[in-house]
Amino acid sequence: MKKMVTVFFDLEACLDAPSKRRFDLRENMQKISKILDKHKVRAAFNTCGIVVERFPDMIKELHNKGHEIASHGYAHENFVQLEQIGELGAVLRKTEKLVEDITDEKLFGVRSPWLIHNKRVYSILKKRGYKWVSNRSIFRTEILKAPGTAFPLVKYLFFSMLWKTYKKEPFKIGGLLEIPLLSSQDGELLELVDPKQKSPKNRLDFAYQSLKTQFDKSGKIFNLNFHPWLIGSANRSALLDRILDYITSHEVEFVLPKDILKK
Ligand SMILES: [Zn+2]
């Protein structure tokens, strides 16, 4: 059986945060879209409602190209806090309506902002009809070899051990399918740099080598996890192109999370 690969992008709302103001989401998304087209990859976009409101045509285009639109809250809220004040359902509904008005299709999945979740959050997601979530991640030891950092052996051994116990395939939890993160996120690989700032070549090489190792070490299923504001800005989209070049040179099948539900 071919290895299944899913590519996730968290399409976030933090367009107004001062540190993230200096980028053009449309331009970043065009770069990303071109690379996905080149490799014939359909991806999952975990999207904030606020992005749907501002860029409905962009969401429509992603949907028409066969990408999956999932929820990432309305304005990148903390779902646990929202649940505590009884507002999670209403916030989820807002994004569902925005997306469904465009795609004419029910949302299947959701990724919690900052991956923050608990049992009560999951029970509300289940009640609202969601089928998959993707909120479980683990620190990957490849990050410890980042350029310019001292290598902490104890930490390396600890996380190597923890990785052995980490669930590396989707599993059922509270009636939902949890799709665990199987690669380091772009923010960990490249650091949360100012979008206008270029990433040095050694940092991009390090990020590529890390993702390559993580892909090689993976089993039946693998996923990549990016953020358009970061991977699509300055010179970083080259990393997306390069890792997709590597992955597509193997026997793999790119799948959407909603397809995994049927497997
Ligand atoms: Zn996010």
Side-chain angles (χ1 to χ4, degrees), residues 152-206:
L153 182 64
V154 176
K155 220 174 162 185
Y156 178 83
L157 293 172
F158 174 72
F159 283 105
S160 301
M161 210 174 66
L162 222 54
W163 173 249
K164 292 203 171 84
T165 65
Y166 186 67
K167 285 190 182 141
K168 300 170 193 72
E169 282 182 32
F171 58 94
K172 283 272 181 175
I173 179 165
L176 298 160
L177 188 73
E178 177 82 56
I179 306 171
L181 280 76
L182 295 171
S183 65
S184 298
Q185 297 196 61
D186 50 0
E188 298 172 275
L189 296 160
L190 299 164
E191 301 186 296
L192 301 176
V193 295
D194 182 318
K196 281 273 174 344
Q197 192 189 318
K198 277 191 179 177
S199 292
K201 188 181 180 302
N202 67 343
R203 191 81 205 189
L204 287 169
D205 285 344
F206 155 74

Side-chain angles (χ1 to χ4, degrees), residues 77-94:
E77 300 88 351
N78 178 325
F79 283 2
V80 169
Q81 280 173 8
L82 281 187
E83 189 279 326
Q84 282 163 355
I85 54 169
E87 287 178 13
L88 180 59
V91 169
L92 288 167
R93 194 178 309 125
K94 208 168 160 183

